[in-house]
Amino acid sequence: MTQRLTVLAGPTAVGKGTVGAYIRRNFPQIWFSVSATTRPPREGERDGVDYYFVTEEEFDRMIDDGELLEYATVHGRYRYGTPAKPVREALEAGSHPLLEIDLQGARQVKETMPEARFVFLGPPSWDELVRRLIGRGTESEEEQARRLETAKEELAAETEFDHTVINHDISEAAEELVTLMGLSIDNTPDN
Ligand code: 5GP
């Protein structure tokens, strides 16, 4: 049976990446899209696993050749996009594909695949979101300010989504998402 694509989006620093990593570890029945990006790899990130790290020229080529389901410049800097073919193949194979992308990308998918399931991952509160963003400590002050500005706009977009999951707790948020995808969470997560 052809499955439905699920799109998870939400404001910056809400914990999309952490919830995603938890799902990867504990729910192998979910198929994760690997995005292409022009951002340089962070320490420990692997090409083809975390992202396909590509040059600006290669990213342009992917756009020109219609290889991307959606793409966007995130936080006004690097470009990120979802290779379309693997997603189509996963859907045809009956897998449960999940995209973890930014809001601009989610809106594009809504145009091209309105039948997808759109899930908004929200913070418990604005103060908590700010705390998480500053607390992560991986970005410069300038970058933090830019991301907060983006986050304000992104929070207002919640109403465009089919469902909201509040990220109070990583494992609970992950399980809620998996349940929304129509999957059982019976196989007890390891942590
Ligand atoms: P990071 O650079 O921290 O890995 O990711 C920055 C942002 O890019 C996150 O909000 C993430 O959701 C978003 N992102 C990652 N991959 C894609 C993608 O393929 N398309 C879009 N539109 N956004 C993406």
Side-chain angles (χ1 to χ4, degrees):
M1 188 189 118
T2 303
Q3 295 297 336
R4 199 170 161 198
L5 174 65
T6 299
V7 177
L8 180 69
T12 183
V14 74
K16 284 195 303 277
T18 318
V19 171
Y22 183 90
I23 291 176
R24 272 180 217 237
R25 265 205 317 279
N26 294 291
F27 300 102
Q29 63 271 49
I30 291 176
W31 181 91
F32 255 91
S33 166
V34 178
S35 300
T37 183
T38 58
R39 166 169 80 62
R42 296 193 186 115
E43 208 178 313
E45 286 184 329
R46 287 172 297 164
D47 187 43
V49 177
D50 301 287
Y51 285 103
Y52 295 106
F53 296 100
V54 302
T55 59
E56 295 289 345
E57 293 73 25
E58 176 63 3
F59 203 94
D60 284 338
R61 190 204 57 74
M62 293 174 98
I63 296 170
D64 291 344
D65 290 350
E67 288 181 13
L68 299 177
L69 176 64
E70 59 73 35
Y71 61 91
T73 300
V74 181
H75 308 306
R77 283 190 83 180
Y78 300 113
R79 291 187 288 171
Y80 298 79
T82 304
K85 192 164 165 242
V87 172
R88 269 199 310 270
E89 287 172 352
L91 283 168
E92 282 160 15
S95 307
H96 299 271
L98 178 63
L99 307 187
E100 183 246 282
I101 60 178
D102 91 315
L103 181 66
Q104 309 166 73
R107 285 181 175 141
Q108 288 172 42
V109 179
K110 204 162 182 185
E111 289 292 314
T112 52
M113 296 179 89
E115 70 282 10
R117 177 187 291 113
F118 295 89
V119 182
F120 187 86
L121 189 66
S125 65
W126 172 255
D127 286 351
E128 177 60 20
L129 184 65
V130 173
R131 203 184 61 75
R132 286 181 194 180
L133 181 58
I134 307 302
R136 189 156 74 173
T138 49
E139 285 86 25
S140 66
E141 255 177 56
E142 189 195 347
E143 179 64 19
Q144 284 172 2
R146 184 171 21 218
R147 288 187 174 213
L148 279 178
E149 208 39 59
T150 310
K152 262 189 219 159
E153 289 165 27
E154 288 177 331
L155 270 184
E158 183 184 343
T159 53
E160 298 168 31
F161 286 72
D162 302 319
H163 306 277
T164 295
V165 169
I166 298 294
N167 188 17
H168 289 288
D169 172 271
I170 293 154
S171 62
E172 280 173 25
E175 288 177 15
E176 207 177 318
L177 177 65
V178 170
T179 306
L180 281 173
M181 290 174 77
L183 292 163
S184 152
I185 52 166
D186 285 350
N187 47 341
T188 312
D190 58 29
N191 57 13

